[in-house]
Amino acid sequence: MLANEVERAVSRYLAVADRLLPGRISGFYVVGSVALGAWRAGRSDIDFVATVAGDLGERDLRRLALLHKAGNAPAAWRALARARPDVPGTLNGVFVAERDLGRPVTSLRPLASHSGPSFKRGRGFEANPVVWKVLLEKGVAVRGPAPGELGLDPEPGRLREWNLGQLHGHFATWAGRALSARPPRKPLQPAHQVALATVLSPPRLHHTIATGEVISKEAAAEYALDTFGPRWHPLLRLALARRLGLPAPAPGDARRVPRLVGEFVLEVIASADEK
């Protein structure tokens, strides 16, 4: 069952999709925080995997790019009205050819993907062993057969390797920038807020490497509190409170937060290598 707000958002998105690409979206599956039982109204996005019947021509791809803007217009207007730099409630996902669903996920080439403000043709990060595992085990079918009937191959034997690759690639690079004189920023968001939004992702990957299971960022906070030393506990509790929208103490000297998060990420990576 989907929360009412999620169901309404998905229904609106699919209504727009069916007007722009009639008969082409053959399957639609909700994954991410919704599937993991950690979706929060006004704070979480809605992640999906969509299947497409047939090939997509140039005109179809232009319409698919338009879908992300038109289908997510209500979320964008709400964020604008509340002067929020982010846009919670956005539907982000990957589009794959229906005929390719049985292929090993790391060899599958998506048709396109939507993520944040970007539209990418011919690729999509979400086609990976973690998302495919969640899709197979917990995905919510809004349209199309149940996930267990799709013949999916999440490549469980590559799950650890893929997560380690993410830690040593994206997150190690991010940590290096966080430890520099110019830490990562986003439009309208100071560096310390960007850093706090990053804290819970590496422990989430660490958990999957250690156990083979995928958990939410909220559960990753509790896991990290049990796994890593007390030096990091104030940082983890602050990140969790912000994730949940709960009152949280000011981070002290905000300029120190990116460096602290960078150091924590490097410790998570070193620990994951030993698992």
Side-chain angles (χ1 to χ4, degrees), residues 4 9 12 29 40 52 66 93 110 113 116 143 156 163 173 212 226 245 261:
N4 290 337
R12 285 193 300 263
Y29 302 88
R40 302 285 176 176
V52 178
L66 177 60
S113 63
R143 178 180 294 180
N163 280 274
T173 299
D226 290 338
V261 176

Side-chain angles (χ1 to χ4, degrees), residues 78-92:
R78 285 195 300 270
L80 183 62
R82 297 170 186 171
R84 293 195 58 158
D86 55 348
V87 186
T90 300
L91 278 93
N92 295 312

Side-chain angles (χ1 to χ4, degrees), residues 159-161 163-164 167-168 202-213 223-224 226-229 267-275:
L159 188 63
R160 181 179 186 276
E161 167 198 344
N163 280 274
L164 280 171
L167 287 174
H168 281 283
R204 188 183 183 200
L205 301 183
H206 186 286
H207 179 275
T208 300
I209 291 165
T211 69
E213 297 303 320
Y223 170 76
D226 290 338
T227 304
F228 298 98
E267 181 166 323
V268 172
I269 294 172
S271 174
D273 285 338
E274 299 174 357
K275 297 297 180 183

Side-chain angles (χ1 to χ4, degrees), residues 31-39 134 138 204 214-217:
V31 290
S33 60
V34 175
L36 294 171
W39 187 83
V134 173
K138 300 180 180 181
R204 188 183 183 200
V214 180
I215 58 175
S216 69
K217 289 182 180 179

